[in-house]
Amino acid sequence: MERTKFTLSEEEMPTSWYNILADLPEPLSPALHPATKEPIKPEDLAPLFPRALIEQEMSTERYIEIPEEIQEVYRLWRPTTIYRARRLEKALDTPAKIYYKYEGSSPAGSHKPNTAVAQAYYNKKEGIKRITTETGAGQWGSALAFAGACFGLEIKVYMVKVSYLQKPYRRVMMETWGAKCIPSPSAETQAGREMLAKDPDCPGSLGLAISEAVEEAVSREDTHYSLGSVLNHVLLHQTIIGLEAKKVMEQIGEYPDILIGCVGGGSNFAGLFLPFIPDKLSGLKPDLRIINVEPTSCPTLTRGPYTYDYGDVAGLTPLLKMYTLGHGFIPPPVHAGGLRYHGMAPIICHLLNLGLVEARAVNQLETFEAGVTFARNEGIISAPETDHAIRVTIEEALKCRETGEAKTILLAHSGHGHMDMAAYEAYFAGKLENYAYPQEKIDESLKELPKV
Amino acid sequence: MERTKFTLSEEEMPTSWYNILADLPEPLSPALHPATKEPIKPEDLAPLFPRALIEQEMSTERYIEIPEEIQEVYRLWRPTTIYRARRLEKALDTPAKIYYKYEGSSPAGSHKPNTAVAQAYYNKKEGIKRITTETGAGQWGSALAFAGACFGLEIKVYMVKVSYLQKPYRRVMMETWGAKCIPSPSAETQAGREMLAKDPDCPGSLGLAISEAVEEAVSREDTHYSLGSVLNHVLLHQTIIGLEAKKVMEQIGEYPDILIGCVGGGSNFAGLFLPFIPDKLSGLKPDLRIINVEPTSCPTLTRGPYTYDYGDVAGLTPLLKMYTLGHGFIPPPVHAGGLRYHGMAPIICHLLNLGLVEARAVNQLETFEAGVTFARNEGIISAPETDHAIRVTIEEALKCRETGEAKTILLAHSGHGHMDMAAYEAYFAGKLENYAYPQEKIDESLKELPKV
């Protein structure tokens, strides 16, 4: 019998997150205050985040303990399983061994709860009663809604109005977990009211939703704000994925040659690959390849410059050193909603700049084709975001068929596509197309980069 | 650390199904030919089912080996996990221990693939190229679509037109796995064309969809028909749930006092409880309670007579001895689409008649309330069908709080509700109501019972 699934026992679940800041060959460029352009200080962030998370954002401790209360919630679905994609391998007739670490078994269906639960816990512990956040497609909002239910926190999600209207089921998920989800722009904030006054039919944007969520958090003592990707502490929480994966691969006597994941803000894939970086640095596995996959419609890593930019469209957040398409970049409405961010986690950008990881952009139609192949062989219908990583996994496996190399590939599978069937429907109906972002539009958007 | 999840290793996965027909204290009443009213013969079923399944339908062998090709597909998601609902227990402040066996981790999100995969395999093995079936809400159709992808079979699903139009995402799931899904009534069969001639706007019914699927299967040499519940061989394939559960409970030193599951056709819950029946019969666990939960809107077991009836609305299928509301019974449009069948698996009915299992009917609003409580504590958003079983689980756990008894409850959790968020939306919007079927309507429908 050939085993298909490999999972740690609950007793073996990692009890600390791994902090890459302890091991970077060069330190990360600091985040800058949007007004002063000076490195940001912990107190600058205090209106938004609990002290524990601000500490984690800046810590250089190698391991940070996961409190038992968080572990207890993690154990509802963690450790997650690594699958050997035997049926896919056979279908591709490849000598490559394809493994995937599946995060879709979480209640919210993706990796997002790994950080949502942690963020809810630390806020609760510091006496916060409410958390605001924004959501686009709804993946993050539902993860935080679930986390709020776990710790008895009130969660309020500003959901981009066009998504709110088009994707009611993500909202219903949030409500099932007890969260409040309202369309942005709303009448509940100054930013929202101003926009509605200008344009009552405004479809909203992620940037505006961020502004609303931040405004409400800053204006209330009992309320904080929460972000689902990009920041160091978010990536930190996600490293449980990679720590579990390393342990399992060790148990089965494998070490991956290639890690592949999709990146929007980058937290899922960084969560998988960061714990492998020390082995690459130490010379234990110097030739490990780490492929960040992004859409050609939002080619942050493959076509953006590496420079300071705002995290949000409105320019309210700290300046982060990252590859960016410009904070004014308006991505086309491709369906992989989670991959439409103009920037990228500074940690990933830093590693790309150092040459420790690589990046590749793929076209939308090819990603759905790959997702369908995956579903018909492995069963799981994947999120459109994940299909990007699946596409490159198949490409690499087919290269192995050419060369005859039996490489070991580990795919970061970020979640299922159960809430994304409309995207598959559009694909089957021939309504989707490939879209490579025109260079002149990128150039235009980059004109707005802040001077530092 | 208190463990939350208990799962067998793949090596420990059962390699045989359990056949209750070997252990019944009295034999099951035979299925009767719809025309002759004589016990059905294997050859009567040959145009519809492969020989192996007809044999399984009538076999009295206690264990029937699971072919390795089926086990290989099962291993994509099996063995499934038993969860200890520690957070729910705490929320209910109950001394009861609540376990649930979760089938929602299958690719199609429910227990249905357990039999879909087996049925696809045996059909493939006997040279069949195509399988037709019907589906209401789409749970079964998507499971068979997945199974068809596993064995390279063409799957054609007649989906009740009103569901086809209202629930496009289930259809898209089927298409993702390569199946063809068309609305019933269709122009592709005599039965469909006749209905369309009479009423071009006919919304369809499960009965008509069965007629279409059967008609096509009978008319083509290379095509068979497949049924997702009720029949003995379907329940047989589902016993892998109970066999796994017994093994896990044994490993952790527990034996359930109460088994609880929802029943539509009954295959999910029978799959869990049948392997426990021998212990009840042998005196090892004589007081084990087995509670079949159905909706008050379709109260087959709690209010129907035990008699011979057709399995389908049109009266084309063999006559089965069962509790029934009459094959002409038209259930109200409650959202738990999987629990709207007028009859029930003959095996369950027989055991209820013998007093070996019990039945309870619950109201719709209470089931959603229970489902929300479950989601906010355990994370998982459950199918509306499953919420029925969750409701009774909570009731039994609260009884334990009254009496102080630390009973062990094992809940058959049949699947997630990701494709059912519209039902939760209607619940939150106050659009659902309780509906106890009026006795005079049941009496009316029972007038049409066939004479045997």
Side-chain angles (χ1 to χ4, degrees), chain B residues 43-163:
Chain B
E43 54 267 33
D44 297 329
L45 299 172
L48 293 178
F49 302 118
R51 191 181 36 74
L53 292 179
I54 298 171
E55 275 169 27
Q56 288 178 4
E57 186 66 20
M58 301 179 173
S59 168
T60 52
E61 288 290 319
R62 183 166 289 113
Y63 290 100
I64 292 174
E65 212 180 310
I66 307 174
E68 170 54 27
E69 292 88 340
I70 296 176
Q71 289 187 47
E72 189 207 317
V73 177
Y74 277 178
R75 288 198 293 269
L76 288 176
W77 75 97
R78 303 207 74 86
T80 62
T81 296
I82 286 189
Y83 294 74
R84 171 86 183 267
R86 294 191 188 277
R87 298 175 67 88
L88 180 63
E89 291 171 17
K90 211 176 286 174
L92 299 175
D93 190 25
T94 176
K97 291 188 263 186
I98 303 174
Y99 291 91
Y100 60 100
K101 174 77 165 164
Y102 183 54
E103 290 293 307
S105 58
S106 81
S110 78
H111 62 290
K112 293 284 188 190
N114 295 330
T115 185
V117 168
Q119 293 190 45
Y121 166 76
Y122 288 116
N123 274 291
K124 174 76 174 185
K125 206 180 156 204
E126 297 188 17
I128 288 297
K129 304 265 183 278
R130 304 171 71 249
I131 303 179
T132 61
T133 196
E134 73 287 337
T135 202
Q139 194 81 271
W140 167 244
S142 45
L144 194 65
F146 157 66
C150 293
F151 294 106
L153 282 164
E154 195 183 313
I155 303 294
K156 183 158 166 194
V157 182
Y158 288 89
M159 186 168 184
V160 178
K161 196 196 244 170
V162 58
S163 298

Side-chain angles (χ1 to χ4, degrees), chain A residues 68-370:
Chain A
E68 170 53 28
E69 293 89 339
I70 295 174
Q71 289 188 47
E72 189 207 317
V73 178
Y74 276 178
R75 287 199 293 270
L76 288 176
W77 76 96
R78 303 208 73 86
T80 61
T81 297
I82 287 190
Y83 294 74
R84 171 86 184 266
R86 295 191 189 276
R87 298 174 66 89
L88 180 62
E89 290 171 16
K90 210 176 290 175
L92 299 176
D93 189 24
T94 176
K97 291 188 264 185
I98 305 174
Y99 292 90
Y100 60 100
K101 174 79 165 162
Y102 182 55
E103 290 294 305
S105 58
S106 80
S110 77
H111 62 289
K112 294 282 188 192
N114 295 331
T115 186
V117 167
Q119 294 192 44
Y121 167 77
Y122 289 115
N123 274 292
K124 173 76 174 185
K125 206 179 156 205
E126 295 187 20
I128 289 297
K129 303 266 183 280
R130 304 171 71 250
I131 303 179
T132 60
T133 197
E134 73 289 335
T135 202
Q139 194 81 272
W140 167 244
S142 46
L144 195 65
F146 157 67
C150 294
F151 293 106
L153 283 165
E154 195 183 313
I155 304 295
K156 183 157 165 195
V157 181
Y158 288 89
M159 187 168 184
V160 177
K161 197 197 245 171
V162 58
S163 298
Y164 180 92
L165 296 173
Q166 279 173 4
K167 303 183 176 180
Y169 298 158
R170 274 280 173 199
R171 166 179 59 76
V172 181
M173 277 189 109
M174 296 181 224
E175 290 170 353
T176 304
W177 283 310
K180 192 169 173 192
C181 173
I182 63 167
S184 165
S186 79
E188 307 202 10
T189 67
Q190 186 66 23
R193 284 188 298 270
E194 277 173 16
M195 180 54 81
L196 288 172
K198 259 193 285 182
D199 176 8
D201 298 323
C202 171
S205 71
L206 205 56
L208 182 59
I210 294 177
S211 304
E212 291 205 88
V214 167
E215 183 187 321
E216 179 173 341
V218 171
S219 72
R220 287 183 60 157
E221 271 294 319
D222 63 350
T223 303
H224 268 165
Y225 167 75
S226 180
L227 198 67
S229 191
V230 179
L231 298 182
N232 299 346
H233 68 270
V234 178
L235 272 59
L236 173 79
H237 301 151
Q238 295 293 357
T239 59
I240 187 149
I241 302 172
L243 292 165
E244 286 179 5
K246 263 193 97 167
K247 221 164 169 176
V248 163
M249 295 302 271
E250 213 169 279
Q251 286 179 355
I252 59 179
E254 295 270 22
Y255 200 106
D257 300 302
I258 312 178
L259 304 177
I260 300 172
C262 62
V263 287
S267 70
N268 165 62
F269 188 40
L272 178 77
F273 78 65
L274 288 176
F276 289 88
I277 293 281
D279 294 348
K280 203 169 151 82
L281 292 172
S282 71
L284 193 69
K285 186 75 181 180
D287 52 351
L288 172 66
R289 293 183 56 204
I290 300 173
I291 309 177
N292 294 270
V293 187
E294 62 184 11
T296 49
S297 57
C298 188
T300 313
L301 295 176
T302 50
R303 293 174 63 195
Y306 184 45
T307 181
Y308 270 103
D309 196 4
Y310 297 106
D312 67 324
V313 182
L316 298 171
T317 69
L319 292 162
L320 304 172
K321 180 90 178 277
M322 56 188 178
Y323 289 89
T324 178
L325 298 168
H327 60 281
F329 173 81
I330 296 168
V334 289
H335 272 282
L339 305 181
R340 299 177 63 192
Y341 187 61
H342 69 277
M344 185 64 65
I347 286 174
I348 291 184
C349 296
H350 186 59
L351 295 171
L352 178 63
N353 188 243
L354 292 173
L356 286 164
V357 304
E358 52 192 291
R360 193 181 304 176
V362 292
N363 282 319
Q364 173 163 254
L365 292 181
E366 297 152 13
T367 65
F368 278 99
E369 185 193 9

Side-chain angles (χ1 to χ4, degrees), chain B residues 43 52 118 123 149 157 169 178 214 265 281 288 358 369 393 432 441:
Chain B
E43 54 267 33
N123 274 291
V157 182
Y169 296 159
V214 167
L281 292 171
L288 172 66
E358 51 192 290
E369 186 193 7
T393 299
L432 300 186
K441 280 202 167 188

